[in-house]
Amino acid sequence: MDLAHSLSRLIQAESYSGREERAVRVLVSLLEELGLRAEVDEAGNVEAVLGSQEPEILLTGHIDVVPAGDPGAWPHPPFAGVIEGGKVWGRGAVDMKGPLVAMLGAIQQLKGQELGGRVRFLATVQEEVGGLGSRYASSRLKLQPPKAILLGEPSARQVMRGHRGRGEIWADFPGEQAHAALASGTNPIYPLALFLTQLEQHAESFDIRLTPTRLETYPEATNVVPGVARAVLDLRYEPGADIHDLLDGLRDIAGEASVYIPEEELVSGPVRLGISALLPAYSLESDHPLLEVALRTLKQDSAGFWGFTTDAPYLAWSGAPVIGYGPGDPALAHTTFEHIGIDELEAAAQAYAGLVQALLQA
């Protein structure tokens, strides 16, 4: 398998969240070229298995990508999959089609070896918008949990053991909708402004990063006093943070406003899931024996934390420990300069193969 050209093919298959079908077909084709039988589940996730006996190691990552934005801001067209200067360029090169291709390279290396177990490859849909694919797959994985899960989010090939949680909190302030020229009732923009002022003064007491990121009014007309004014707060929190206490504190300063974490329904084929806007944190114990195996195998001293959320919490619902490791610079994810070195792909493929063998034998 030529990793660079395989990744180029996968990048060319544009796969925004909820529209991953083209990339799914490419992955199925690549798996079949490796001699594996690929399956696509009801949610659109792609799966294949090498070997038949237990225990099992799961290699996993997501198929979908974030929007490319202005194509003119890219050094190469975002979905051309250009190979130049020892790098593969394009949306998803780092986050995270590159890691998926490196996993396929590892499977190619493992074919014909004495595994002492099996390897499952799982590529999930809609990670970027709430993790529908991994949430759906975890219910199946729970029936026969893997021994360990290797999640390939980009980490510059450093072992990772978790990440902070992320969420949205909405504060809706009620008003009395009226013509702006005649209004005499409650204008909800004033209590919303007071709320934000108090939030700025007391944000540190919550011991959580809370950032106002959007203000909205309903209706949106500029000559109408709104019936509702909304503040949207971006929430970042460490594992173990008390979100209920945070919400109680916000409600104390919000007065009559409704303060809540919204939900939405995600759909993929026949699969429908209600998803909370609170994306959980994940933290694997620093002394977990399989994490120690991974660190020894890769000759690393300690595991880090991603600065962004991943599918790890939902995959962990299976009961298996999730260990992170992926090629690519995470600082390039979601940017217009997204690219990955071919040498990174090859090194990661070799590392994944070594990790699978070490974890199976542990």
Side-chain angles (χ1 to χ4, degrees):
M1 168 182 275
D2 185 313
L3 299 186
H5 284 91
S6 297
L7 176 54
S8 178
R9 287 173 58 189
L10 197 53
I11 289 172
Q12 289 168 15
E14 182 181 304
S15 55
Y16 290 141
S17 303
R19 293 180 282 162
E20 297 95 341
E21 295 84 358
R22 289 179 59 199
V24 165
R25 289 195 293 270
V26 172
L27 279 173
V28 168
S29 176
L30 291 172
L31 287 163
E32 290 176 345
E33 290 170 18
L34 290 175
L36 298 181
R37 180 170 174 264
E39 296 183 353
V40 180
D41 68 17
E42 287 186 314
N45 301 319
V46 181
E47 266 188 89
V49 180
L50 174 65
S52 57
Q53 66 188 76
E54 294 185 354
E56 174 179 297
I57 304 299
L58 176 67
L59 295 173
T60 186
H62 63 86
I63 305 168
D64 59 322
V65 298
V66 297
D70 177 12
W74 289 73
H76 301 286
F79 295 105
V82 169
I83 302 172
E84 182 180 273
K87 302 177 177 66
V88 185
W89 294 78
R91 175 59 81 227
V94 169
D95 188 17
M96 61 166 294
K97 294 179 176 181
L100 286 177
V101 167
M103 290 175 173
L104 295 182
I107 290 172
Q108 182 181 40
Q109 293 181 32
L110 292 167
K111 285 191 64 181
Q113 296 185 20
E114 188 65 38
L115 288 179
R118 64 174 177 258
V119 185
R120 184 179 301 274
F121 173 81
L122 171 66
T124 62
V125 298
Q126 296 197 36
E127 185 273 347
E128 297 286 2
V129 293
L132 177 144
S134 59
R135 292 172 190 252
Y136 181 78
S138 66
S139 60
R140 181 173 66 255
L141 295 172
K142 191 182 299 184
L143 300 176
Q144 201 168 10
K147 183 177 183 180
I149 296 173
L150 291 173
L151 175 60
E153 290 278 2
S155 67
R157 290 190 288 127
Q158 297 298 305
V159 176
M160 309 299 276
R161 66 181 186 93
H163 56 74
R164 292 185 299 170
R166 190 241 174 211
E168 286 184 12
I169 297 176
W170 291 8
D172 290 351
F173 291 80
E176 297 177 44
Q177 185 175 325
H179 194 297
L182 305 173
S184 59
T186 301
N187 186 327
I189 293 177
Y190 291 119
L192 184 151
L194 179 60
F195 169 75
L196 293 178
T197 299
Q198 293 177 305
L199 180 64
E200 184 178 28
Q201 294 171 351
H202 297 93
E204 290 185 5
S205 66
F206 295 130
D207 195 28
I208 285 173
R209 182 166 184 155
L210 201 59
T211 307
T213 55
R214 191 193 311 168
L215 303 177
E216 302 171 338
T217 57
Y218 302 92
E220 297 179 349
T222 57
N223 60 350
V224 175
V225 174
V228 176
R230 172 178 295 158
V232 178
L233 311 177
D234 178 273
L235 166 66
R236 308 286 166 156
Y237 65 96
E238 303 296 330
D242 190 335
I243 304 303
H244 293 294
D245 184 60
L246 168 67
L247 290 172
D248 287 343
L250 291 174
R251 288 169 181 142
D252 284 344
I253 64 173
E256 297 182 0
S258 175
V259 178
Y260 60 99
I261 295 170
E263 294 187 1
E264 66 174 322
E265 184 179 67
L266 295 181
V267 179
S268 186
V271 176
R272 293 176 176 269
L273 292 179
I275 304 291
S276 167
L278 184 67
L279 306 180
Y282 177 74
S283 179
L284 182 63
E285 301 89 345
S286 60
D287 60 351
H288 193 286
L290 293 184
L291 179 64
E292 293 178 345
V293 168
L295 289 168
R296 285 198 302 271
T297 301
L298 298 177
K299 297 181 173 58
Q300 296 181 17
D301 295 328
S302 61
F305 279 83
W306 282 297
F308 46 82
T309 57
T310 76
D311 274 338
Y314 320 123
L315 296 165
W317 292 346
S318 67
V322 180
I323 300 170
Y325 178 86
D329 181 355
L332 293 174
H334 299 196
T335 72
T336 58
F337 294 92
E338 189 172 0
H339 63 272
I340 193 167
I342 297 171
D343 57 346
E344 277 272 296
L345 294 174
E346 293 171 345
Q350 185 173 352
Y352 283 133
L355 284 169
V356 167
Q357 288 282 33
L359 292 167
L360 284 173
Q361 295 166 16

